[in-house]
Every structure is written in C-alpha cells, then in structure tokens.
Amino acid sequence: MMENAQQQRRAEKLWTADFILITFASFFLFFGFQMLLPTLPVYMQDLGGDNTAVGLIIGIFTVFALVTRPLVGAVMGNSKKGWLMAGLLLCFVIISGYHWTTSVVLLLLARCVHGVGWGVVTVTSGTLAADVIPAARRGEGIGYFGLASTLAMALAPAIGLAILDGSWHMQGVIFIAAGSTILSLLCAWGVKRKRSNKDVHTANVEKPQAKPSFRSQLFEPKALFPSLLALLIGIVYGGIVSFITLFGKEVNIGNVGLFFTLNAVCLLIVRLISGRLFDRKGHVWVILPGSVLMAAALIVLSYAHDLTTLAISAVLFGLGFGAVQPSLQAWILNRVEPAKRGPANATFYSMFDLGIGGGAMLLGQLAEATSYAAMYRYSFLVVVFFCLVYVSYVWRRSESSLK
C-alpha cells in the first residue's frame, strides 16, 4: 500500500508550467510589496507625518486587507484568475500612484486602496496555486510556493533601501515596485488551466451539493483551528518584525539586519525539506518540532547581547517559522473541499495578519512597560500555549480514533 502511494506521488507532476508561473507571480508580487515596507515610513516622515501616521501605514493597510479577504473568498468561485488579475492591476495602479501622494492624507488614502488590492491578490494567488498543485504533493508544493515570498523578503527590503538612499530616491523605489507588480500580472496571465484535484481528503465531494450561501462562503469552519494556530504564531512574528531594530538599540547590537538575512536563508532551506516531510509523515512531524525551534529562538533572542547570539536566534526562528507557517496552510487545504479553498485561504491569511497586527500593538505596550528583551520572553509563552493547544488537539483526535 505504501509503495503504491509513493508511486502515485511520483506520478503526480508538480513543476508544471502553471505552477512555475503562479510561483513567479507570487515572487514579483511580494518583491514589489517588500520594497515598500521599509521605505514608505521614511517617505511618510518626509511628507511631515508623525509617529502615529507612520504606524497607520501598516495598520490601515492591514485593516482593509482583513476586511477584503473574506469577501473575495466568498464571491470569487471559479473566477480565481480573473480576481487575481483585477487585484494585481489595482495594486499596480496604486503603487504607481504613490508618486503623486504629496500629503499625509493622500498617502493614507492610497494605503487603504492598496490594502483592498492586497487582500484580493493574497487570497486568489494562494488558492490558484492550490488548484494547480497535485493533491499528493500539496505540502511540498505549498512549501515551494511559499519560497517565492520568502526569497522576495530576503532581497527586496535591502534593495528598496539602497535605491531610496541613492540618486533615484523614492521615485526609483516606486518605479521598480510597480514594474515588479506588472511582471507578476504577466505571469498570472500565463496560467492556463486548473488541475483536477480528486484526492482522499476530498473524495466525498463528488456528490451533488446545493449551491453554498454567500454567508457560508465568508468563513470556512474547517479552517478555523489551524487558522487560530496561525494567529498565535502571527503574534510572535509581529513582535519580531516590529521591534527587532528597537531591541538592537536597547542592547547595543548593531546591524540587526543580519537577523532578517539569516532568517530568510533558513526559511528557504527548511521549506525544501518540511513540505516533503508533511506529505509523507503528516503535520505533526513538522509543526511540533518547528514550534519548539521557535520557542528556543525567542529565549535565545531575549538574552542576545552580541551578533553571534542574534544570529543563532535568527537561524532557530527561520527554521521553526519556515516549517510551521506553510504546514498550517497545507493542513487547511487538505481539510477542505476544492470549492472551499478560497474561504479557507481567506480565513487563514486573515487570522495570521490579525495576529501580526494585534501582536505588534499588544507586545509594544508590554515592551513599553518592561523592556524589549522581557517582551520576547513573554512571547515565548505564546509559543508554549501554541504547543499545548496543538498537542491537546492531536491527542484528542488520536484518542477518538481508537474508540
């Protein structure tokens, strides 16, 4: 039986033209997005914005993306590619329009619309990728697909800052980010077909079913538990990306950018392995070890006072987060019927982003009352809670299967 399953897995081709194109579309999309993350706050300050306005650049963007995702997941149906193209076009128009945002108000309004476009493209691109990945290699495929955004995260921020500090300034950043978004649109345009994913996880959906209501399409119950776990790791991730620079200043560590570089490299490496392990062994073999590595990373980080300790924490966190986050998404996609992948992806991304935004605000208040080092030690408790909830769920499932 196991040999037949392995032969079936090898027979399912992953690297089709559609999969390559949607993966490159994701890379170019995230490249343009990541270029703007470290540069727009500087641009906001140049326009006269204060710290509150700078914070709203991320906050207001996230709110509009959160509101948009479940709506798109509910209405897109089989028109995933069309919605993706529309979202990419909207993102291109808004990114290009940043050139003409000559006031704080105009920039914040543009961020609102950009958040809508981002909500559209993140749901539709992930769902379209799930459609072209063979079911037997879903964990591996989602892992490779996630590498695109990880590689963009490793390259784009440094390139964006270099352009900002060079002769092109913000206009150059906007030009390159818009061009990258156009390349993403062209790649998405080349995706021709949808794979038929009939697998053991969704075998029962061959029966005719009534058309689901709009309300039921806004939210996918089967995606709830893994998405709640994604919210917890989002809280931790929000604390990392929001405050690592300030933490470096607190403990007198220069060049904290090394954390992001090593973290991204380890994300790339682990996703080459964790996806295959997910497909062959199941989510327990990936999520549990990954969460332990994340917990260890936070403890090491909280006691870091030099680049060596910072580097160790970056490696541990990259390996742990790189294993857990895509595995949660692949787990969700295995739990739902193909027609529900849109709402499922919307639930997942919304919970994860809610964790990032909420974590940044809550942990920021905690750091204000204590210190950034103490904040990361408290973040360790969030991962411990993650592990307890997850192990409890797995234990109950195994107990019920024995009855």
Side-chain angles (χ1 to χ4, degrees):
M1 183 73 69
M2 184 176 295
E3 183 178 346
N4 290 337
Q6 291 176 347
Q7 290 176 350
Q8 180 182 3
R9 182 181 177 279
R10 286 193 294 267
E12 293 277 16
K13 186 177 180 182
L14 173 62
W15 291 100
T16 61
D18 284 347
F19 179 68
I20 292 171
L21 283 170
I22 195 64
T23 301
F24 270 100
S26 179
F27 170 78
F28 288 121
L29 169 66
F30 276 87
F31 188 89
F33 173 76
Q34 292 288 343
M35 282 187 70
L36 294 170
L37 277 184
T39 54
L40 279 178
V42 178
Y43 185 48
M44 172 63 85
Q45 289 183 333
D46 291 342
L47 293 176
D50 56 14
N51 288 334
T52 300
V54 170
L56 283 174
I57 286 178
I58 299 298
I60 202 167
F61 177 91
T62 302
V63 167
F64 276 81
L66 284 172
V67 172
T68 301
R69 284 192 182 113
L71 296 175
V72 174
V75 303
M76 69 180 179
N78 292 324
S79 304
K80 304 176 186 70
K81 180 179 173 180
W83 277 95
L84 175 58
M85 298 292 292
L88 286 168
L89 185 60
L90 179 60
C91 286
F92 167 73
V93 171
I94 291 301
I95 292 173
S96 301
Y98 283 139
H99 178 76
W100 290 279
T101 53
T102 55
S103 69
V104 171
V105 172
L106 285 176
L107 181 55
L108 290 177
L109 287 174
R111 289 298 283 173
C112 294
V113 182
H114 196 178
V116 173
W118 187 251
V120 173
V121 296
T122 47
V123 171
T124 51
S125 62
T127 307
L128 192 59
D131 283 344
V132 302
I133 294 171
R137 302 181 69 176
R138 185 165 291 135
E140 181 184 1
I142 290 296
Y144 285 135
F145 177 72
L147 283 176
S149 58
T150 303
L151 184 59
M153 181 181 70
L155 298 175
I159 294 175
L161 288 171
I163 295 173
L164 183 69
D165 294 336
S167 58
W168 284 11
H169 303 297
M170 194 62 198
Q171 289 73 22
V173 175
I174 293 171
F175 178 79
I176 299 298
S180 185
T181 307
I182 278 292
L183 289 175
S184 177
L185 191 149
L186 292 174
C187 289
W189 179 265
V191 178
K192 297 299 183 184
R193 64 180 179 82
K194 182 177 76 172
R195 181 187 297 271
S196 177
N197 266 336
K198 297 179 181 179
D199 59 77
V200 294
H201 305 288
T202 60
N204 61 340
V205 300
E206 297 302 317
K207 300 176 183 179
Q209 296 182 351
K211 184 178 179 180
S213 65
F214 175 78
R215 181 181 298 178
S216 70
Q217 288 288 86
L218 286 173
F219 170 75
E220 176 48 50
K222 291 181 181 178
L224 179 59
F225 180 73
S227 296
L228 288 173
L229 293 177
L231 183 146
L232 291 176
I233 66 167
I235 291 174
V236 175
Y237 185 74
I240 293 284
V241 299
S242 300
F243 303 112
I244 190 70
T245 303
L246 298 174
F247 169 73
K249 293 180 179 179
E250 178 182 80
V251 296
N252 297 316
I253 299 177
N255 191 26
V256 292
L258 177 67
F259 184 96
F260 291 106
T261 301
L262 290 176
N263 179 69
V265 170
C266 290
L267 282 169
L268 288 168
I269 294 172
V270 75
R271 288 189 177 185
L272 297 173
I273 304 168
S274 62
R276 294 186 179 185
L277 186 61
F278 176 96
D279 290 330
R280 293 172 180 172
K281 294 287 190 177
H283 53 80
V284 176
W285 290 78
V286 182
I287 294 175
L288 194 55
S291 59
V292 171
L293 288 172
M294 288 175 61
L298 289 166
I299 289 296
V300 173
L301 178 60
S302 70
Y303 289 101
H305 287 87
D306 54 47
L307 279 177
T308 301
T309 315
L310 185 78
I312 293 172
S313 66
V315 169
L316 290 172
F317 191 81
L319 293 174
F321 182 80
V324 172
Q325 196 259 2
S327 296
L328 288 173
Q329 186 178 12
W331 184 19
I332 286 172
L333 294 173
N334 278 347
R335 287 164 65 95
V336 303
E337 298 85 357
K340 291 295 188 74
R341 287 177 188 153
N345 264 328
T347 303
F348 171 78
Y349 284 116
S350 295
M351 287 291 190
F352 182 62
D353 278 357
L354 184 61
I356 293 175
M361 289 187 291
L362 292 174
L363 294 176
Q365 292 296 316
L366 183 60
E368 188 74 23
T370 56
S371 67
Y372 292 109
M375 179 203 70
Y376 287 129
R377 291 186 199 116
Y378 283 111
S379 298
F380 163 82
L381 297 178
V382 177
V383 182
V384 170
F385 180 67
F386 173 100
C387 291
L388 291 174
V389 172
Y390 177 69
V391 170
S392 175
Y393 172 86
V394 172
W395 178 264
R396 289 200 309 269
R397 296 284 291 184
S398 62
E399 285 287 301
S400 63
S401 66
L402 293 176
K403 295 179 181 179

